[in-house]
Amino acid sequence: MPKPDAAITLLLAALDEAYDRKSWHGTNLRGSLRTLTPGDALWRPAPARHNILEIVVHAAYWKYVVRRSLTGMRRGSFPLKGSNWFPRLASGPAQRRDDLDLLAGEHRQLRAAVAAFDPGKLNDLTGRGHFTCAALIRGIAAHDLYHAGQIQLLKRLRKT
């Protein structure tokens, strides 16, 4: 069995720590959703601000975009119509579970794409032309952490 590439291993570790693995920095994205109540899920800090479920689907969408950039897959295969932000105005238990499952599924698919990625192409520019593939992978890990903090803040603000 070939030895795993060190750069790919580090990128996978960053993805894992940002999404669902224990890390020194505190709560990751999945951890921020662990205690999500129905009230928390749809609460908005102000009109026209995003609620937690909208952030969840937004995070899933950008995992899909990064995976698409890395693999060359065609646009239009995300399970929901639209892009970037998806309104979540009402949510029963099934809808919340579907949104959380969508995020988990997109993470698994992204992780698999990174694990299978050719390490020799990590410094290639993506189809967007501004960032390398490695920067895109690091960026999606940072995106998870940004939104994990945002979700933690929203939950805390709701209690005040």
Side-chain angles (χ1 to χ4, degrees):
M1 176 177 261
K3 183 179 177 185
D5 180 79
I8 295 291
T9 300
L10 284 172
L11 290 168
L12 288 170
L15 286 173
D16 291 343
E17 289 173 11
Y19 180 69
D20 66 353
R21 294 285 168 26
K22 186 175 177 152
S23 59
W24 69 268
H25 53 70
T27 306
N28 54 42
L29 184 56
R30 187 166 173 225
S32 72
L33 300 166
R34 192 168 292 125
T35 60
L36 189 63
T37 68
D40 291 341
L42 294 173
W43 182 78
R44 295 176 192 279
R49 296 293 181 205
H50 296 293
N51 62 43
I52 291 174
L53 282 184
E54 289 169 346
I55 295 168
V56 165
V57 179
H58 166 81
Y61 176 77
W62 282 99
K63 287 175 181 290
Y64 154 79
V65 169
V66 169
R67 177 170 53 95
R68 197 180 75 218
S69 293
L70 295 173
T71 63
M73 44 185 281
R74 292 180 24 192
R75 293 180 68 132
S77 56
F78 190 66
L80 302 175
K81 296 253 186 241
S83 63
N84 202 15
W85 291 104
F86 301 80
R88 292 298 188 252
L89 306 174
S91 175
Q95 181 64 55
R96 275 192 308 281
R97 178 58 35 216
D98 288 350
D99 289 346
L100 293 170
D101 287 348
L102 175 64
L103 176 62
E106 288 298 331
H107 180 77
R108 279 190 304 275
Q109 291 179 77
L110 172 62
R111 194 182 190 291
V114 172
F117 195 75
D118 178 355
K121 295 182 178 183
L122 285 172
N123 291 321
D124 291 358
L125 292 178
T126 65
R128 300 179 130 170
H130 296 93
F131 299 99
T132 65
C133 295
L136 201 60
I137 298 165
R138 289 191 311 269
I140 197 64
H143 188 253
D144 276 2
L145 291 174
Y146 170 82
H147 286 303
Q150 186 181 30
I151 290 166
Q152 292 293 88
L153 179 61
L154 286 171
K155 290 189 309 187
R156 183 146 315 176
L157 284 173
R158 183 168 184 267
K159 290 178 186 175
T160 60

